[in-house]
Structures are given as structure tokens and as C-alpha cells.
């Protein structure tokens, strides 16, 4: 029975962030088809931020109508919506409509919103349900949640997208003699399997999560134990990671804290230990939260195509897939090597920002960034994105741990600061990319860059 529940808990965690992570790692293939092209990540960044309406509604329900929201029904609903949205994406992801005299990926945007709504809402519904099981199963759930970002990245790598070559072609010059002239075109090699198959794979993972939840929900009621079996304070890193993803934020709902859950269940909540930080230190940490989330969830993700695509589709593909894997790896590192030193976190934040600054600089230099056309340039940009995501993800986790030890209200304000940073980053970059067109795209094969 114990092994079976561990497997079910892990499979249940797979459905937490698999859809949004899957969309991001598949973007290197999607941007070549949809009319938004290189601007697509900036649209997705805003849509994902809007999807935080889900956790907000859940939080308001707990505040205004305590006891009215049924967690089991909510989880069934969000997982079912996720399965349906993935299936619909497989059939209609490339369908376009004309909006304001321009072709737009309306179906893709709408379905992406529902997938993001599912994943964001999982932060405040999945974990409270898992709190009803003994603490050793919570760790297994967190492993499944980490795999929800890791597995799509591996599958995308196996898909083999991003392989392209430059080929000679001819076209008519358009003059009276109609003599042909040679041009160079980018020819993308077919992936090992299509985007439709990848979306069906995401739907299958959501189905596995739904089936695992259904099985967990049918367990004997003897497993619904008291708060003595909830996650102890030593697991704070894991519980903070439960609300962390590449493109969302640290989302803290009413039930994301085990102690809060026990309080709402009528149990006396133990007093949290104060960490003793001064007002100035707390203010600096809050600014760090705003900056880190603004950079990782808004500023840089909006221009990832501009920083990577000039080096070729393969560089973009690897940066998206490996950066997606870097996030759960950062959570694992934080669980085994938790460092709460504010000086160390400040230094890591600075180092991660340096990598982010390099990525932004390459985006502004598009279509002719440094070392364009060389293997060195491709390796640097991929590693820069991996280190940028991994280092700042570690900072996010440890800051969340610090605030959880400070007080519950500090943790709530941490979530608010994270969402504020993510929203500001998205709002700032969207007009710069899509209205003022400050970033320029280019053809890898035809762009002539000075040496």
C-alpha cells in the first residue's frame, strides 16, 4: 500500500505545471508557424500572468466563504479542463483568425489561458489535498511536481526540433528578362514527431495526474490523518518549491501553508519562530523578490526568442528546454543545500542578473549579437539562460523559506511582491516588443552581420 501511494502521489504531482512548461519548451517549433513569430513569448508572458486570476478566486473563496470551496471538486475540475485544453490544442493550435486586420493565433491564446489557469490554480488546491496524507508522501508529491517541468523538457529534446540548414534557392528577379538569382533560405528539418503529438503527450500526462488523484481520493479514510502528520517545519524548502515555476511566481494561497491549513481545521496553530530580520533587511528582501520575479517571469522571457534565435533555432530550442529543467534542479539543490545568508543571496541575485543582462543585451543586438554564427556564441547563450534561470530560481526558493520562518503575513506579502514583479515585467516588455518594436528579428541564413 505504501509503495502504491508513493507512486500515486508522484503521478498526481505531474499535473501541476506540466502544461505551461510544455508550451514553453515547444515554442522553438511553434514560433516558426504562428503569425506572431518571435513576438509570441511576450504574448504568452502576459496571458500566464492573467491566469493568476485562478489562485486569486480560490483565495477569495476561502476568505469570504470558508468551507464552501470543495478541494476535491476543484481539483477534478482543473485537471479535466487541462486534459480538454491539451486535446483541443493538438487539433487547433495553428488555427488563426483575423483581428484588427491582422492574422492572430486566437485559438492558441485562449487555450493557453485555460492551461495557465489550471497550472496556477494547482498551487492552491493540490498541496492542501496532499496535506491529508502522512508527511512522507508529501516529499514524493514534490518529486512529481519537479518532474512536471523536467519531463516535457526531455521529451522536447527527444523531439529533435531546432535542426535547420541554409540552402541555395532561386527566385525570379521580377525584371523583364526574368533572370533568376540565387538566394539563401532557412530550411527546417522535420522533427522526430509533430507538435500535435507533443500536445497529446501533455494531455496524457494530465490524464495520469487525474487518474492518480482519483485513486488517492478513494483511499480509506484512515489515511486522512490529523495535523500531527502534516509536513514539519524542516520541509519548508519543499513547500515553497510547490508554488514555484519557470513562468509564474511563488503563489501563496490560503491553504499553501500547512500551519494555516491546520488552523482552519480547528487546530491550534503553533507559533512560528521569528528570524529577527530588521525592517531594512526585510525591505531589501522584498525588493529582491520583485526584481527576481520581474526578471524571470516578465522581462527576459518576453525576449528569449530575440536573444537566442539569431544563433539558430537549435540554440533557442536548447535554451528553452534546458532552462525549463534548471528550475526543478534548483529546487533540489535548495532542499539539500539551503543557505539563508542574505549576503550570499544578494551575491547570487547579482550573478543571476549579470547572466540576465547578457541575455537582454543579445536581444537588443538582434539580429547581430556577439559571436553570431559561431558554436561559441551558441554555447554561451544557452549556458547563460540555464544559469540565469537556475540561480535566480534558487534565490526565489530561499527567500520564500526566509519569509515563511518570519511569519505567515510576511509569506503572504512575499507572494504579493512576486506577483507584482511578474506583472510589472510583463507590462513593461509587452509594449516595447509589440507596439514600439524595439527588438528586431532576423533570418539566420540571410542576415549579414559585420565581422
Amino acid at each position: 500500500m505504501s509503495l502504491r501511494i508513493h507512486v500515486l502521489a508522484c503521478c498526481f504531482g505531474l499535473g501541476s505545471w506540466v502544461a505551461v512548461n510544455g508550451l514553453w519548451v515547444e515554442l522553438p517549433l511553434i514560433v516558426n508557424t504562428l503569425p506572431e513569430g518571435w513576438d509570441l513569448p511576450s504574448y504568452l508572458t502576459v496571458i500566464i500572468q492573467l491566469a493568476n486570476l485562478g489562485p486569486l478566486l480560490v483565495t477569495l473563496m476561502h476568505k469570504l466563504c470558508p468551507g464552501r470551496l470543495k478541494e476535491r471538486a476543484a481539483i477534478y475540475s482543473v485537471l479535466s479542463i487541462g486534459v480538454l485544453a491539451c486535446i483541443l490544442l493538438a487539433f487547433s493550435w495553428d488555427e488563426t483568425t483575423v483581428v484588427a486586420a491582422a492574422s492572430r493565433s486566437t485559438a492558441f491564446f485562449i487555450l493557453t489561458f485555460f492551461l495557465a489557469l489550471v497550472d496556477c490554480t494547482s498551487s492552491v488546491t493540490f498541496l492542501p489535498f496532499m496535506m491529508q496524507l502522512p508527511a512522507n508522501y508529501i516529499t514524493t508529491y514534490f518529486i512529481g511536481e519537479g518532474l512536471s517541468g523536467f519531463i516535457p523538457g526531455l521529451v522536447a529534446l527527444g523531439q529533435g526540433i531546432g535542426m535547420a540548414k541554409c540552402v541555395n534557392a532561386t527566385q525570379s528577379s521580377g525584371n523583364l528578362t526574368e533572370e533568376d538569382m540565387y538566394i539563401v533560405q532557412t530550411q527546417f528539418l522535420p522533427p522526430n514527431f509533430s507538435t500535435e503529438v507533443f500536445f497529446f503527450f501533455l494531455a496524457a500526462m494530465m490524464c495520469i495526474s487525474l487518474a492518480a488523484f482519483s485513486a488517492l481520493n478513494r483511499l480509506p479514510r484512515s489515511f486522512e490523518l490529523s495535523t500531527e502528520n502534516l509536513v514539519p517545519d524542516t520541509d519548508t524548502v519543499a513547500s515553497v518549491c510547490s508554488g514555484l515555476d519557470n513562468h509564474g511566481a511563488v503563489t501563496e494561497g490560503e491553504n499553501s501553508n500547512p500551519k494555516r491549513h491546520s488552523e482552519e481545521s480547528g487546530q491550534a496553530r503553533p507559533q512560528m519562530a521569528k528570524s529577527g530580520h530588521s525592517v531594512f533587511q526585510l525591505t531589501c528582501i522584498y525588493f529582491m523578490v520583485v526584481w527576481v520575479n520581474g526578471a524571470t517571469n516578465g522581462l527576459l522571457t518576453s525576449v528569449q526568442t530575440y536573444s537566442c534565435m539569431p544563433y539558430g533555432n537549435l540554440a533557442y530550442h536548447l535554451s528553452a528546454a534546458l532552462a525549463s529543467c534548471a528550475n526543478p534542479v534548483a529546487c533540489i539543490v535548495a532542499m539539500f543545500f539551503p543557505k539563508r545568508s542574505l549576503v550570499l543571496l544578494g551575491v547570487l541575485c547579482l550573478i543571476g542578473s549579470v547572466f540576465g543582462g547578457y541575455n537582454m543585451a543579445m536581444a537588443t543586438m538582434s539580429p547581430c549579437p556577439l559571436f553570431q554564427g559561431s558554436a561559441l556564441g551558441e554555447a554561451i547563450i544557452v549556458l547563460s539562460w540555464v544559469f540565469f534561470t537556475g540561480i535566480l530560481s534558487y534565490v526565489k526558493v530561499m527567500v520564500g523559506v526566509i519569509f515563511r520562518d518570519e511569519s505567515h503575513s510576511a509569506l503572504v506579502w512575499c507572494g504579493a511582491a512576486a506577483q507584482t514583479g511578474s506583472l510589472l515585467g510583463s507590462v513593461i516588455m509587452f509594449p516595447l516588443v509589440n507596439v514600439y518594436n524595439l527588438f528586431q528579428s532576423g533570418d539566420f541564413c540571410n542576415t549579414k552581420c559585420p565581422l
Side-chain angles (χ1 to χ4, degrees), residues 142-366:
F142 290 139
I143 293 174
E145 193 170 65
L147 291 176
S148 71
F150 188 73
I151 293 178
L154 291 182
V155 173
L157 289 175
Q159 192 177 9
I161 63 176
M163 305 303 293
K165 62 180 180 180
C166 301
V167 297
N168 291 325
T170 58
Q171 68 174 1
S172 175
S173 64
N175 56 23
L176 296 176
T177 61
E178 295 185 355
E179 68 176 1
D180 292 335
M181 59 181 295
Y182 282 103
I183 63 170
V184 179
Q185 291 181 339
T186 303
Q187 184 180 80
F188 294 99
L189 302 180
N192 295 329
F193 52 87
S194 66
T195 300
E196 290 80 4
V197 173
F198 184 83
F199 285 137
F200 278 123
F201 164 76
L202 295 183
M205 290 193 67
M206 295 292 290
C207 287
I208 291 174
S209 179
L210 179 59
F213 171 70
S214 179
L216 287 172
N217 200 29
R218 297 175 187 274
L219 289 176
R221 288 298 178 260
S222 59
F223 280 91
E224 295 187 9
L225 303 178
S226 67
T227 54
E228 296 176 357
N229 296 299
L230 298 182
V231 180
D233 288 340
T234 54
D235 289 340
T236 55
V237 172
S239 63
V240 169
C241 279
S242 70
L244 180 65
D245 77 297
N246 272 336
H247 315 289
V250 179
T251 306
E252 298 297 338
E254 282 297 301
N255 288 330
S256 60
N257 191 333
K259 293 182 176 62
R260 178 72 176 179
H261 183 75
S262 64
E263 183 183 29
E264 292 176 352
S265 303
Q267 302 286 341
R269 188 183 115 187
Q271 183 66 32
M272 285 182 149
K274 297 289 184 179
S275 59
H277 292 104
S278 66
V279 175
F280 175 76
Q281 288 175 323
L282 290 176
T283 303
C284 292
I285 299 174
Y286 278 122
F287 275 114
M288 188 185 302
V289 172
V290 173
W291 165 247
V292 168
N293 284 274
T296 57
N297 303 329
L299 295 175
L300 272 300
T301 52
S302 299
V303 295
Q304 187 171 11
T305 43
Y306 294 94
S307 67
C308 298
M309 287 289 277
Y311 296 99
N313 220 51
L314 178 60
Y316 179 33
H317 169 53
L318 290 176
S319 66
L322 295 180
S324 178
C325 297
N327 190 277
V329 170
C331 283
I332 294 174
V333 172
M335 292 177 70
F336 288 98
F337 302 100
K339 302 295 182 181
R340 307 189 186 199
S341 169
L342 296 185
V343 175
L344 176 62
L345 293 180
V347 171
L348 290 177
C349 184
L350 179 61
I351 295 174
S353 299
V354 170
F355 285 112
Y358 179 83
N359 298 337
M360 180 63 75
M362 296 305 101
T364 57
M365 295 174 65
S366 175

Side-chain angles (χ1 to χ4, degrees), residues 20 46 65 132 147 193 195 212 234 307 311 335 371 398 420 427 431:
V20 168
V46 174
C65 306
Q132 301 175 22
L147 291 176
F193 52 87
T195 300
T234 54
S307 67
Y311 296 99
M335 292 177 70
F371 309 113
M398 295 315 304
T420 300
V427 170

Side-chain angles (χ1 to χ4, degrees), residues 376-399:
L376 176 62
E378 294 181 30
I380 292 176
I381 194 64
V382 171
L383 291 176
S384 180
W385 271 99
V386 171
F387 287 128
F388 163 73
T389 304
I391 292 174
L392 293 190
S393 293
Y394 180 89
V395 174
K396 285 187 198 180
V397 174
M398 295 315 304
V399 166

